């Protein structure tokens, strides 16, 4: 609450309470004041009457006193018992204060007097007619002054001639009265712990969502009444309720901003005591309060999640809730943190009833100084106090901030995305998994403004994750699934991300198991071979890898790989096929390449032995006679012919198991010995005969054969 400030001449000073002269303050350094008492022994409320001003002769002031610019009386400041918050009150809650009460206080810590502070007043009491708060006293807004033990007061004219209200007094509140030692600091510690919890909430939540039950709308992180030390004994009547919350009103307490946030719980206790002991209300008037550091406090009792009837906005307490920012925001903006807290409260209270903060609605006034009873008043669902009353509350600067605050409160989760699905492999737009998966999602909207995340599988909500979570565990049956994560803002707005998940627990199969065949190529030191296979998977292959005798990626579409093997010893080739879900199947084959030299062949016709280091075993057989032949009989599953190639080499005819198999031309541009020039393979190991016949090619009849390589 607030009121337009004035700075007119001093007209009245309170006898025995305050000292004032027309434009100067009386000296106080030599006064003897009572010793400071411990908080537990100090009274919660002290009242000091503000009597009628002393008038000069002939002025004719009438009781209880008239605020006029001609009169001023200097008196002695007064020492008091300890207090930290004060305000001015008067008998009739519907009578406005003529003029402005100003006070200054003496600090306990160093005995120094503060400057003059103005106590703001809004006119009539905001209590709802007929409620437990009705009646009571008129009042200014309370002001936090810190630990003090002396006070001085004066009244400043509003420029007219109106009577001061009857029963005008100062009310001094000690929020620590009758509290155990250390309770105030404990409450402050609770506030700091809750604030820390709110900060770290973004990092929480990686556990499994155990049930599909939708969690309740999460309450804002706040200091409960027990946390800030509410005096429940002073609350006489049970809470009263309105039917719903259609508007959230934003206030400021119009007190100074130079308080320490460590004192925020004490300030809230002081405001409660002032509203109850001084104003005569049933409880603290606001539903929520937030300090300049962004710590949120539960206000009036009755349930944060309930439409509790407050005493905060004259004529509009029904169908509304209120949050008050502790401090004066006429010329100072609230921080980003405080803006977010206001938005969080607004989204929570309005979203509970399906309303957005940016919408407008109509409330019917029960009577205020701006809107007579029965008036239908259009309001934005997040409004300032000044929208319903002749007041400057919640301050010019904060009032201008309400537009972006509404936007925050009514937003959908921003930049929401399902970043990845742990345990699954993405191929194109689909994910493949063989076991449990964890969808991982992100949003730039602060956790405090999130309601929950629903995990929907094939159109059915299978889990609801709390707002701090960013992942959950899904263990789905094999098959194709549509997985959606839907993020809900406190406002009720939601956004979704959807992915296709294929759960596959069947390993790839081998249509053709790995097999090794001989192939053409150089026989210098190794035997050229083909590794052949055919792997398949209904969901698609992710990879095929050779794991022995070395590691080689074979791809998913190839079915053969050219390599070489050491002659004379067994070699094992292992192939591992993996599908998109991560299932694997490994198959192996072991083979031994052997060399049958030309000396082991059965010869026919004319052959000449030739020697040299270029031949296998140091020798080979050469023939230029047509019809000459070499025949090998062996047991194996693959065979290749070893020969030399030169520019003048001729051709040979090959017969396998007595059947003609074709012609091999041994001519090549350059001379190369120890070459596998022909190969044949069979499905299984068996006994075979290979006969090689010299063709006697015209002008190049000569051939040189170096043996037969077989595979077992």
């Amino acid at each position: 609450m607030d009121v337009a400030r004035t700075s007119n001449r001093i007209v009245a000073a309170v006898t025995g309470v305050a000292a004032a002269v027309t434009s100067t303050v009386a000296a106080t350094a030599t006064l003897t004041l009572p010793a400071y008492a411990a908080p537990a022994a100090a009274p919660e409320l002290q009242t000091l009457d503000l009597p009628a001003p002393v008038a000069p002769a002939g002025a004719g002031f009438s009781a209880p006193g008239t605020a006029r610019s001609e009169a001023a009386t200097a008196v002695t400041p007064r020492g008091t018992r300890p207090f930290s918050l004060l305000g001015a009150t008067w008998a009739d809650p519907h009578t406005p204060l003529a003029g402005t009460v100003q006070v200054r206080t003496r600090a306990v810590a160093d005995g120094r007097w503060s400057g003059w502070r103005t106590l703001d007043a809004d006119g009539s009491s905001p209590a709802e007619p007929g409620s437990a708060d009705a009646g009571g006293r008129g009042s200014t807004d309370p002001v936090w002054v810190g630990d003090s033990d002396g006070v001085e007061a004066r009244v400043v004219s509003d420029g007219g001639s109106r009577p001061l209200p009857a029963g005008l007094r100062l009310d001094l509140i000690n929020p620590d009265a009758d509290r155990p030692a250390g309770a105030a600091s404990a409450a402050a510690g609770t506030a700091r712990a809750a604030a820390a919890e709110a900060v770290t909430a973004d990092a929480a939540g990686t556990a499994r969502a155990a049930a599909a039950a939708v969690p309740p709308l999460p309450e804002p992180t706040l200091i409960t009444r027990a946390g800030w030390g509410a005096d429940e004994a002073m609350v006489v009547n049970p809470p009263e309720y309105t039917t719903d919350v259609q508007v959230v009103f934003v206030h400021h307490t119009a007190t100074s901003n130079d308080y320490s946030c460590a004192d925020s719980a004490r300030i809230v206790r002081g405001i409660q005591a002032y509203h109850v002991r001084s104003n005569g209300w049933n409880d603290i008037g606001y539903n929520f309060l937030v300090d300049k550091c962004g710590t949120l406090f539960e206000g009036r009792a009755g349930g944060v999640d309930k439409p509790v009837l407050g005493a905060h906005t004259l004529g509009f307490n029904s169908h509304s809730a209120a949050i008050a920012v502790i401090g004066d925001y006429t010329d100072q903006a609230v921080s980003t943190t405080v803006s977010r807290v206001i938005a969080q409260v607004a989204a929570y209270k309005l979203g509970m009833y399906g309303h957005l903060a940016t919408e407008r609605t109509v409330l019917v006034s029960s009577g205020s100084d701006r809107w007579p009873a029965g008036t239908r008043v259009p309001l934005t669902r997040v409004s300032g106090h000044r929208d319903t009353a002749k007041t400057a509350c919640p301050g010019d600067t904060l009032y201008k901030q309400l537009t972006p605050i509404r936007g925050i409160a009514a937003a959908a989760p921003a930049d929401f995305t399902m970043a990845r699905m742990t345990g699954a492999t993405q191929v194109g737009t689909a994910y493949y998994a063989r076991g449990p998966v964890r969808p991982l999602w992100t949003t730039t909207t602060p956790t405090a403004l999130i309601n929950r995340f629903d995990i929907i599988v094939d159109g059915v909500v299978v889990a609801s994750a709390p707002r701090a979570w960013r992942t959950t565990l899904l263990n789905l049956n094999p098959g194709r699934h549509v997985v959606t994560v839907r993020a809900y803002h406190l406002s009720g707005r939601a956004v979704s991300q959807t992915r296709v998940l294929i759960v596959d627990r069947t390993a790839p199969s081998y249509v053709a198991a790995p097999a090794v065949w001989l192939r053409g190529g150089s026989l210098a030191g190794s035997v050229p071979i083909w590794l052949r296979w055919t792997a398949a998977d209904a969901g698609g292959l992710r990879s095929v890898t050779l794991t022995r005798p070395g590691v080689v990626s074979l791809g998913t579409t190839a079915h053969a790989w050219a390599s070489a093997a050491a002659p004379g010893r067994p070699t094992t080739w292992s192939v591992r096929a993996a599908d998109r879900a991560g299932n694997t199947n490994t198959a192996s084959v072991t083979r031994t390449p052997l060399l049958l030299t030309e000396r082991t062949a059965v010869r026919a016709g004319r052959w000449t032995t030739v020697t040299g280091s270029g031949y296998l075993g140091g020798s080979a057989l050469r023939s230029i006679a047509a019809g000459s032949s070499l025949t090998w009989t062996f047991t194996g599953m693959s065979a290749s012919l070893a020969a030399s190639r030169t520019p003048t080499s001729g051709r040979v005819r090959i017969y396998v198991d007595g059947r003609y198999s074709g012609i091999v031309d041994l001519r090549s541009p350059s001379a190369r010995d120890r070459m596998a020039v022909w190969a044949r393979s069979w499905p299984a190991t068996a006994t075979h005969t290979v006969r090689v016949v010299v063709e006697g090619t015209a002008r190049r009849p000569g051939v040189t054969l170096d043996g037969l390589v077989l595979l077992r």
Side-chain angles (χ1 to χ4, degrees):
M1 297 184 227
D2 199 358
V3 69
R5 291 173 173 76
T6 60
S7 181
N8 297 319
R9 295 169 55 197
I10 301 167
V11 298
V14 182
T15 305
V17 179
V21 293
T22 303
S23 60
T24 62
V25 177
T28 60
T30 60
L31 294 177
T32 301
L33 298 173
Y36 177 75
E44 182 177 46
L45 170 65
Q46 302 170 74
T47 61
L48 301 173
D49 291 335
L50 299 178
V54 178
F61 287 114
S62 59
T66 302
R68 297 184 60 179
S69 60
E70 292 87 354
T73 303
V75 295
T76 304
R78 177 164 178 176
T80 67
R81 303 295 293 274
F83 69 95
S84 300
L85 178 142
L86 62 80
T89 67
W90 53 92
D92 186 354
H94 303 297
T95 298
L97 174 65
T100 303
V101 177
Q102 294 183 332
V103 297
R104 68 182 192 130
T105 56
R106 193 185 76 162
V108 169
D110 56 15
R112 303 177 73 174
W113 286 85
S114 70
W116 288 99
R117 302 174 188 261
T118 297
L119 303 182
D120 292 342
D122 287 329
S124 298
S125 165
E128 193 69 17
S131 70
D133 304 300
R137 296 173 61 81
S139 66
T140 66
D141 292 331
V143 61
W144 179 259
V145 295
D147 294 332
S148 305
D149 60 4
V151 66
E152 191 174 4
R154 66 187 185 188
V155 177
V156 177
S157 163
D158 62 3
S161 178
R162 293 182 296 166
L164 295 172
L168 187 63
R169 75 188 190 198
L170 286 182
D171 284 27
L172 313 180
I173 299 293
N174 176 10
D176 301 319
D178 302 320
R179 291 176 59 78
S185 61
T190 302
R192 288 190 293 271
E197 178 184 352
V199 170
T200 57
D202 282 305
T206 57
R208 176 174 181 170
V214 175
L217 191 68
E219 295 180 0
T221 300
L222 48 67
I223 308 302
T224 64
R225 289 172 64 88
W228 58 261
D231 186 350
E232 305 297 1
M234 72 168 65
V235 181
V236 176
N237 296 300
E240 297 174 283
Y241 297 92
T242 181
T243 56
D244 59 2
V245 174
Q246 297 188 31
V247 175
V248 171
F249 288 107
V250 179
H251 297 249
H252 70 171
T253 61
T255 56
S256 66
N257 298 327
D258 59 359
Y259 62 90
S260 167
C261 290
D263 284 329
S264 296
R266 300 177 63 210
I267 296 173
V268 177
R269 289 199 302 275
I271 293 174
Q272 183 200 25
Y274 186 79
H275 284 179
V276 176
R277 303 296 192 208
S278 299
N279 291 8
W281 300 346
N282 188 53
D283 196 354
I284 191 169
Y286 307 114
N287 301 100
F288 301 90
L289 300 95
V290 58
D291 70 12
K292 65 183 181 182
C293 295
T295 301
L296 183 66
F297 295 85
E298 179 184 8
R300 176 162 289 214
V304 172
D305 60 338
K306 301 293 192 302
V308 179
L309 181 69
H312 46 76
T313 309
L314 178 62
F316 297 88
N317 291 305
S318 293
H319 310 290
S320 70
I323 179 171
V325 187
I326 300 172
D328 187 331
Y329 296 94
T330 301
D331 303 312
Q332 179 176 326
V334 300
S335 67
T336 300
T337 300
V338 173
S339 292
R340 190 172 72 185
V341 171
I342 297 171
Q344 178 190 17
V345 170
Y348 171 72
K349 296 301 290 185
L350 295 171
M352 190 179 298
Y353 299 95
H355 305 314
L356 288 177
T358 50
E359 296 173 344
R360 295 183 65 83
T361 189
V362 174
L363 294 184
V364 178
S365 173
S366 61
S368 76
D369 59 359
R370 183 172 179 182
W371 302 105
T375 306
R376 292 174 57 83
V377 181
L379 294 166
T380 305
R381 292 202 186 271
V382 175
S383 289
H385 183 193
R386 65 174 61 180
D387 293 323
T388 63
K390 295 177 180 179
T391 175
C393 180
D396 290 346
T397 306
L398 175 52
Y399 189 75
K400 292 175 183 177
Q401 290 181 276
L402 294 186
T403 296
I405 286 172
R406 292 183 190 106
I408 296 171
D415 302 318
F416 179 68
T417 184
M418 197 188 305
R420 62 179 180 271
M421 198 172 287
T422 303
T425 300
Q426 184 175 5
V427 180
T429 59
Y431 285 82
Y432 293 80
R434 61 190 177 94
V437 299
R438 286 184 178 275
L440 178 68
W441 56 87
T442 60
T443 176
T444 56
T445 295
T447 295
L449 290 164
I450 295 295
N451 175 1
R452 70 180 192 275
F453 301 95
D454 281 355
I455 296 86
I456 305 164
V457 178
D458 300 331
V460 177
V461 177
V462 299
S464 283
R467 63 184 180 184
W469 290 20
R470 295 297 180 269
T471 187
T472 192
L473 184 67
L474 293 178
N475 195 355
L476 305 179
N477 292 327
R480 183 182 186 276
H481 302 281
V482 178
V483 177
T484 298
V485 179
R486 183 168 297 152
Y488 288 88
H489 194 277
L490 282 178
S491 66
R493 296 183 64 186
V495 293
S496 300
Q497 286 274 295
T498 298
R499 300 288 185 268
V500 172
L501 173 64
I502 297 170
V503 179
D504 177 7
R505 295 179 184 151
T506 303
S509 60
Y510 287 94
V511 177
V516 177
W517 297 349
L518 296 175
R519 66 178 177 89
S522 173
L523 292 166
S526 62
V527 176
I529 59 96
W530 281 112
L531 175 66
R532 298 181 181 274
W533 71 92
T534 301
D537 188 87
L541 291 172
R542 182 177 66 184
S543 65
V544 178
T545 305
L546 180 73
T547 60
R548 294 177 63 186
V551 177
V552 178
S553 175
L554 302 175
T556 58
T557 58
H559 301 288
W561 177 66
S563 185
R569 65 172 183 261
T571 300
T572 299
W573 291 265
S574 295
V575 177
R576 183 181 64 204
D579 64 19
R580 292 171 175 175
N583 302 293
T584 63
N585 188 1
T586 299
S588 300
V589 58
T590 301
R591 293 290 179 260
T592 303
L594 298 173
L595 174 63
L596 300 181
T597 68
E598 73 283 357
R599 292 186 294 274
T600 64
V602 176
R603 306 179 193 181
R606 296 191 300 275
W607 291 92
T608 302
T609 299
V610 293
T611 61
S613 60
Y615 302 121
L616 294 173
S619 65
L621 290 177
R622 178 174 176 75
S623 177
I624 61 172
S628 297
S629 67
L630 297 178
T631 302
W632 290 271
T633 299
F634 59 91
T635 299
M637 60 183 309
S638 187
S640 63
L641 177 64
S644 295
R645 289 183 178 273
T646 70
T648 60
S649 295
R651 303 194 305 179
V652 294
R653 292 192 298 274
I654 299 179
Y655 297 84
V656 176
D657 296 332
R659 293 185 177 183
Y660 174 68
S661 183
I663 293 177
V664 176
D665 194 333
L666 299 179
R667 183 172 60 178
S668 71
S670 60
R672 291 184 294 170
D673 296 324
R674 293 182 295 184
M675 298 296 295
V677 297
W678 167 88
R680 171 65 63 86
S681 298
W682 297 271
T685 297
T687 299
H688 300 281
T689 298
V690 172
R691 180 168 172 252
V692 181
V693 179
V694 179
E695 182 185 60
T697 312
R699 294 185 295 277
R700 48 186 183 95
V703 297
T704 301
L705 303 183
D706 211 357
L708 193 73
V709 180
L710 64 91
L711 197 64
R712 289 180 178 170

